[in-house]
Amino acid sequence: MAVQHQEVTDSLKLQKLIARLREAADTLEADEPLLDSSKVNALNAQMEVLVNRLNQSEKEALTVSKSDYLRARGPWLEAWNFNAAQMERSVLFALGLNALPKGISKDTMSDRLHLLSVLLAARGLDTVLELSKAQPIATLGYQDYGIAIDRKANQALLLWGQMPQDEFLQKMTTFDEQTIRCSAKAVGLSGAKWNTTARRELHRRAVRFARNTML
Amino acid sequence: MPAQILAFLNFKGGVAKTTDTVNIGAVMALHPQIGGKRVLIVDLDPQCNSTLWLVGREVYRWVQERDQTVHEIFRRSLKKLKPDMASIIHPVDKSELSGGRLDLLPGSFSCLKLEEDPKMLDDNALGHLVLTKALETIKNQYDYILLDCPPSWSILTRNALRAAHHVLIPYTPDYLALEGILWMRQLHEEFSQRVGIGNIARLTGVIVNRVRNAANHQYVNAHQQAITELGQVIEQLHQKHGYRLHVFQPHIAETSAVAEAVNYQEHLLNKDMNHPVTRQFTALTQDIMMHLRILNPRMIEAA
Ligand SMILES: Nc1ncnc2c1ncn2[C@@H]1O[C@H](COP(=O)(O)OP(=O)(O)OP(=O)(O)O)[C@@H](O)[C@H]1O
Ligand SMILES: [Mg+2]
């Protein structure tokens, strides 16, 4: 399902505009008795035009399914929270744009969700999930708990946390390097060169992890 | 649609129950974009922190003297009288822009004594339905009713669990608070066995507070470990006990702006609308409202 880049830009602008108009209309409606009816009519006409344009240019965006949206929303927001600049680049790339349209900010939740619906319409659920996953944190699994849980790392930590220190230090050379790295990261150790101090620290943290989390 | 009733509850003290109740309530009601809701905060904690925060000491004393507080509801119920809710609800703030309003049902130090009344004993089912009945009469006047609970297992918390639809568990990333979540699960299960599941609020989610910036630590990020532990516990609660807790996003940062707002007796939205922590509370509130809608399809239709 390909959407022209120009259309995406337009629809972004349009939705923003519509939202603003809607707000204005609500205000007007609340104050209606105080205003002359010509203003209200003009506004209504303006909105009608906009709604028609929206319906045409945004067919795709309007057909995003709710279940796709809900499925994608968690990983999407999480990826943004983790690295907004990287997400912005990925979104621009996926839509073939050079910059986000005026009025769309990468820093507000509502705009991020708005970009989500645009991207879902333009590229579909799989791409959106892929894109959210491309963030380092999302290589951990998101399972609707609202936070990333790296099961492989947690399993390893539980196991190591129940080993005596000597055994851990001895066996560590045989552990898979990737597992060591993600487990260390999960307990907040980063950039460690695996000298003895760092290994002991990793073990200490695994012990703590095992103690604190075994129900 | 009648109000969604949310209890902010954790038996661990000082985990930001009050901070979350006050500021999430304020965003729901008053935020210019996502606000517009009619919100009532009920201060169930005899420490009265949310009352003191929202209306200041003078009003606090004034309502205490006249017992225009939560205590009045219980006092009248003991005499088998209905409370006059309109006379004890105190308007805090409203927004012309969003059309929302924030009201408070003030707390009372006298609630401490309720525990001693034999009619309020734990095994007396009527004793823990006092709040449910009182809120029944006003639930159509609000979109959200938020209950700021004391950090204890008391007649007030039992009332909160019976009255609310959802429990949101404020949490600070350390292992004592993690233990707090486990107690919550256990007491929740015991209580629901007693009064019947379905007659008690659902344990819905966790709000993470006071997250310190990793840059403060050179090479070790203590909070990362605490969050990983939280994830592991949440997953096990799901797998072993069938409790499906959701960790709301974003997590709230540790900042002096919170204490500052308390000292000014203002919620963050009034005190410092553009502060990063205010924006975090805004996004968090949005996430909570969204999640509640997913859990309650009737709300999607109404929205
Ligand atoms: N994000 C934050 N940054 C800094 N300080 C915070 C933050 N959130 C809460 N605090 C502070 O932590 C302390 C405890 O917060 P709060 O009173 O909200 O917790 P509580 O769970 O309601 O406590 P209690 O169990 O006594 O009712 C307060 O001093 C509050 O100002
Ligand atoms: Mg409190």
Side-chain angles (χ1 to χ4, degrees):
Chain A
M1 177 172 27
V3 166
Q4 296 302 312
H5 306 149
Q6 190 52 43
E7 267 179 46
V8 173
T9 322
D10 279 353
S11 85
L12 283 169
K13 280 187 200 149
L14 215 54
Q15 278 203 0
K16 258 295 205 230
L17 199 55
I18 289 273
R20 251 182 250 133
L21 273 168
R22 215 172 275 145
E23 229 167 72
D26 286 344
T27 325
L28 277 175
E29 212 168 288
D31 304 341
E32 200 168 12
L34 302 174
L35 292 163
D36 57 329
S37 55
S38 63
K39 265 191 201 167
V40 178
N41 288 340
L43 191 82
N44 280 344
Q46 212 179 339
M47 281 195 64
E48 210 174 292
V49 174
L50 277 161
V51 169
N52 285 340
R53 265 179 60 199
L54 182 78
N55 281 343
Q56 289 191 339
S57 73
E58 265 215 320
K59 260 188 209 103
E60 275 95 340
L62 293 172
T63 56
V64 169
S65 91
K66 197 186 281 171
S67 69
D68 280 3
Y69 180 81
L70 293 180
R71 170 81 185 82
R73 184 181 176 279
W76 177 259
L77 289 179
E78 195 172 44
W80 277 96
N81 280 345
F82 185 73
N83 190 342
Q86 173 61 35
M87 277 306 274
E88 184 185 10
R89 278 195 294 278
S90 312
V91 167
L92 292 177
F93 182 73
L95 294 174
L97 302 174
N98 291 324
L100 289 178
K102 260 221 181 79
I104 297 285
S105 147
K106 69 173 173 30
D107 296 321
T108 71
M109 172 121 142
S110 57
D111 282 359
R112 287 174 186 182
L113 288 173
H114 179 59
L115 286 171
L116 169 62
S117 58
V118 172
L119 210 74
L120 274 174
R123 292 282 174 267
L125 180 63
D126 289 347
T127 310
V128 168
L129 289 179
E130 206 46 47
L131 211 146
S132 314
K133 227 177 23 197
Q135 305 302 316
I137 196 164
T139 52
L140 323 177
Y142 177 91
Q143 230 212 17
D144 287 333
Y145 296 115
I147 80 180
I149 297 171
D150 183 344
R151 294 192 182 78
K152 204 168 136 199
N154 288 5
Q155 293 276 310
L157 287 165
L158 273 181
L159 193 71
W160 301 344
Q162 295 171 77
M163 282 180 191
Q165 196 190 63
D166 289 348
E167 186 185 342
F168 174 81
L169 293 177
Q170 225 170 43
K171 285 193 179 160
M172 191 169 158
T173 45
T174 67
F175 299 150
D176 161 43
E177 204 174 305
Q178 162 74 14
T179 311
I180 294 178
R181 207 167 341 112
C182 68
S183 305
K185 187 171 165 217
V187 289
L189 288 178
S190 61
K193 295 206 179 67
W194 293 113
N195 57 25
T196 322
T197 321
R199 284 187 215 175
R200 286 215 182 98
E201 181 63 22
L202 178 58
H203 181 254
R204 213 172 56 79
R205 281 173 178 259
V207 170
R208 182 190 133 170
F209 178 83
R211 268 201 208 138
N212 287 355
T213 63
M214 279 199 287
L215 300 194
Chain B
M1 238 194 72
Q4 287 274 306
I5 305 178
L6 316 178
F8 291 74
L9 177 58
N10 189 335
F11 301 122
K12 168 99 177 68
V15 290
K17 291 181 287 297
T18 300
T19 306
D20 289 345
T21 313
V22 163
N23 292 295
I24 289 168
V27 170
M28 285 171 162
L30 308 170
H31 192 277
Q33 274 92 42
I34 72 159
K37 304 287 186 283
R38 300 161 301 166
V39 180
L40 174 68
I41 289 180
V42 181
D43 189 354
L44 287 177
D45 188 349
Q47 300 180 87
C48 303
N49 287 169
S50 46
T51 305
L52 285 161
W53 188 344
L54 283 171
V55 299
R57 204 189 273 145
E58 263 171 48
V59 175
Y60 165 76
R61 294 215 171 120
W62 197 89
V63 297
Q64 299 297 313
E65 277 160 24
R66 289 158 186 79
D67 200 12
Q68 294 181 1
T69 69
V70 168
H71 181 255
E72 167 77 354
I73 299 176
F74 286 88
R75 197 178 63 81
R76 290 182 76 97
S77 146
L78 285 171
K79 295 185 188 162
K80 302 214 179 324
L81 295 171
K82 288 215 167 101
D84 174 11
M85 297 299 276
S87 75
I88 55 177
I89 288 177
H90 190 91
V92 175
D93 215 341
K94 61 180 186 207
S95 157
E96 300 296 339
L97 200 63
S98 72
R101 70 165 200 269
L102 182 64
D103 290 353
L104 172 75
L105 212 165
S108 167
F109 185 66
S110 314
C111 282
L112 277 178
K113 297 192 204 103
L114 287 174
E115 215 66 38
E116 292 160 17
D117 196 299
K119 294 202 196 77
M120 288 291 163
L121 279 182
D122 190 13
D123 48 12
N124 180 350
L126 282 181
H128 37 76
L129 284 173
V130 177
L131 186 64
T132 309
K133 286 187 191 144
L135 295 181
E136 193 70 31
T137 61
I138 51 165
K139 67 181 186 195
N140 286 320
Q141 297 160 32
Y142 292 96
D143 299 304
Y144 292 96
I145 299 178
L146 312 186
L147 314 177
D148 182 12
C149 300
S152 60
W153 180 244
S154 72
I155 182 67
L156 296 150
T157 23
R158 288 190 287 281
N159 266 275
L161 279 171
R162 293 302 299 267
H165 302 108
H166 299 277
V167 176
L168 307 185
I169 310 175
Y171 170 81
T172 51
D174 62 61
Y175 107 92
L176 296 179
L178 196 62
E179 204 60 22
I181 293 184
L182 299 179
W183 301 336
M184 286 284 303
R185 203 277 308 162
Q186 198 173 337
L187 282 163
H188 183 271
E189 191 165 301
E190 283 168 17
F191 194 49
S192 70
Q193 269 160 13
R194 199 133 51 88
V195 300
I197 196 135
N199 292 326
I200 172 175
R202 181 185 191 282
L203 286 191
T204 295
V206 177
I207 300 171
V208 181
N209 296 281
R210 310 194 67 161
V211 172
R212 259 171 274 133
N213 193 343
N216 293 342
H217 307 264
Q218 268 189 331
Y219 121 98
V220 180
N221 178 351
H223 275 72
Q224 176 57 51
Q225 171 151 27
I227 298 287
T228 301
E229 287 173 0
L230 174 66
Q232 173 72 2
V233 163
I234 295 240
E235 184 164 63
Q236 285 189 78
L237 286 179
H238 182 211
Q239 286 170 357
K240 293 198 177 146
H241 302 280
Y243 278 83
R244 196 178 185 96
L245 285 164
H246 183 88
V247 183
F248 294 108
Q249 297 284 344
H251 305 166
I252 303 295
E254 166 95 16
T255 159
S256 58
V258 171
E260 189 76 346
V262 175
N263 287 338
Y264 276 85
Q265 294 161 22
E266 293 277 15
H267 48 77
L268 284 163
L269 210 53
N270 266 1
K271 175 67 182 59
D272 206 342
M273 167 104 190
N274 291 318
H275 194 282
V277 81
T278 312
R279 288 205 227 119
Q280 286 174 346
F281 268 112
T282 305
L284 172 71
T285 306
Q286 222 170 3
D287 195 41
I288 291 172
M289 294 199 293
M290 178 74 154
H291 192 73
L292 295 179
R293 269 193 225 127
I294 296 171
L295 291 177
N296 181 356
R298 273 189 311 148
M299 285 183 81
I300 294 190
E301 282 150 32

